[in-house]
Amino acid sequence: MACPPSCYRALELSAAFFALPDEEKVKVRRPAEGSKAPLPAGYGRQPAHAADKNEYLVIFDPKLGFNVYPAEPAGFRETVEECHCKLTELGLLIQEILNECMGLPPGFLSDYNNDRSFDHMTAKRYFPETEEEEKIGFSEHEDSNCITFIFQDGVGGLEVLKDGHWVSAEPIDGSIVVNIGDVIQVLSNGKLKSATHRVVRKPEHRHSFAFFFNLHGDKWVEPLPEFTAKIGEAPRYRRFLCKEYQRLRVRNKTHPPARPEDVVHITHYAI
C-alpha cells in the first residue's frame, strides 16, 4: 500500500528530532498525571531494564488536545498532523474492506468502532546493535488494536513469524505494511489472526512510524455471533474490556515480567 507524501516526510522529520540532544527531547512530554489521554503523549524511552531498545514519540488526533510537539525540526507539527489525518482516512477505508471480508452486515465495524479518540501514532528510533546486548529492538508481540499501519526507512529489521520461522519484511520505498490486531482476532473467533512480529536491531539507527487504528477503551470485545452461534461454533475467547486489556499490554513494556510466561497477550483470554 502506498505511503502518503506527508507520512514519508514525517518519517524524515522524526529522524531529525531523535537526533537532537537528550535534554531537548525530554522537554517534549506531557505529564501523565491529570491527562485523559490513553497513553502519555510526547517523548519516551524504554526503561534501561527492558529488553526492547528504542525511543519513541506518541501522537494522538490533534483535535483532542493531548499532543505536545517539538519546536525543532521546523514543520514537524504540520507534517505529522497531516499524516495522522491521512492515516485515519486510510483506516476507515481498510475497516470497510475488512467488514466486507468478514461477511458482517454493512456498516457493522464503522458503527462498533465509531470513536477515534484512542487512535494514536508512534514514531520510533531503534538503537544500533551492540556486542553486549541482545539484538532485539522490539520483542515478539501481536498488536492489541484493530488495524496497524507501519512505514519504515530503508534500514530494515521488521520480521514476521510464519510457520515457526521469522521472515524479514524488507523495506519497500514508499510503502505501508498493514497488520490486523488482537481485536479483530477475537471478533472473528480466531478465524483472522493477529500478526506476530518483532524488530531486530541493525548496525545503524532504524526509524519507523506505526499508526494504531484503535477501539475505544470502554468497548467490550468478544467473538461475534457470525463466527460462533450462527455457524454452530463455541467462542474461543472470553469477553474483555478493551482499555483493561490494553493497560495490561502497556504494562508488559513499562514493567516487564520476570518470567516470559507472565507476559500478557491474547491467549490469556482463550477459553
Side-chain angles (χ1 to χ4, degrees):
M1 182 168 292
C3 184
S6 59
C7 296
Y8 196 76
R9 178 60 177 155
L11 185 63
E12 296 176 338
L13 292 176
S14 72
F17 166 75
F18 287 125
L20 294 174
D22 287 346
E23 56 269 24
E24 292 299 317
K25 290 184 286 190
V26 296
K27 297 176 183 178
V28 186
R29 187 167 179 84
R30 188 177 299 280
E33 295 78 11
S35 174
K36 296 182 180 180
L39 297 169
Y43 176 77
R45 187 168 180 156
Q46 296 291 354
H49 63 277
D52 300 344
K53 303 299 179 184
N54 61 72
E55 56 186 339
Y56 54 88
L57 193 65
V58 177
I59 301 143
F60 290 91
D61 185 332
K63 296 191 293 292
L64 299 174
F66 295 151
N67 294 332
V68 53
Y69 300 97
E72 297 293 336
F76 183 90
R77 175 172 183 167
E78 295 78 8
T79 302
V80 166
E81 289 187 353
E82 182 180 350
C83 177
H84 191 287
C85 179
K86 294 294 185 183
L87 293 178
T88 300
E89 294 173 356
L90 184 59
L92 293 170
L93 174 61
I94 296 297
Q95 181 172 253
E96 287 303 308
I97 295 172
L98 195 56
N99 191 98
E100 183 175 351
C101 291
M102 292 172 71
L104 299 175
F108 175 85
L109 286 179
S110 60
D111 290 339
Y112 175 67
N113 184 23
N114 61 359
D115 188 308
R116 305 272 51 88
S117 58
F118 273 64
D119 295 351
H120 63 279
M121 190 161 60
T122 305
K124 276 194 170 74
R125 179 169 83 157
Y126 293 88
F127 302 121
E129 63 179 310
T130 68
E131 294 183 358
E132 297 78 20
E133 297 175 325
E134 292 288 335
K135 291 186 64 175
I136 298 300
F138 203 106
S139 51
E140 174 183 339
H141 67 287
E142 298 81 36
D143 294 337
S144 62
N145 56 310
C146 298
I147 306 166
T148 304
F149 301 131
I150 302 167
F151 51 102
Q152 55 184 324
D153 63 14
V155 172
L158 178 63
E159 296 182 343
V160 181
L161 188 63
K162 179 175 174 56
D163 300 328
H165 300 282
W166 288 104
V167 179
S168 178
E170 294 294 340
I172 300 175
D173 190 35
S175 68
I176 295 178
V177 177
V178 182
N179 289 337
I180 61 170
D182 290 341
V183 169
I184 299 299
Q185 178 168 325
V186 172
L187 293 178
S188 70
N189 203 32
K191 295 294 191 298
L192 299 177
K193 302 294 186 182
S194 180
T196 302
H197 54 289
R198 69 180 185 182
V199 174
V200 176
R201 295 160 69 189
K202 298 294 184 178
E204 56 188 303
H205 284 106
R206 172 186 183 264
H207 299 88
S208 70
F209 258 87
F211 181 89
F212 300 96
F213 193 77
N214 219 336
L215 189 65
H216 191 279
D218 290 335
K219 286 284 189 176
W220 288 91
V221 184
E222 62 185 325
L224 295 173
E226 285 79 3
F227 298 95
T228 55
K230 291 184 179 180
I231 58 173
E233 291 194 8
R236 299 177 183 176
Y237 304 93
R238 56 187 170 88
R239 188 174 188 243
F240 61 85
L241 188 63
C242 189
K243 64 184 175 185
E244 292 181 355
Y245 176 57
Q246 295 196 349
R247 188 180 298 122
L248 292 172
R249 291 292 306 273
V250 170
R251 189 171 177 81
N252 285 345
K253 298 300 179 185
T254 59
H255 299 79
R259 302 185 307 165
E261 59 266 32
D262 292 332
V263 175
V264 175
H265 44 76
I266 202 60
T267 57
H268 285 75
Y269 291 82
I271 297 174

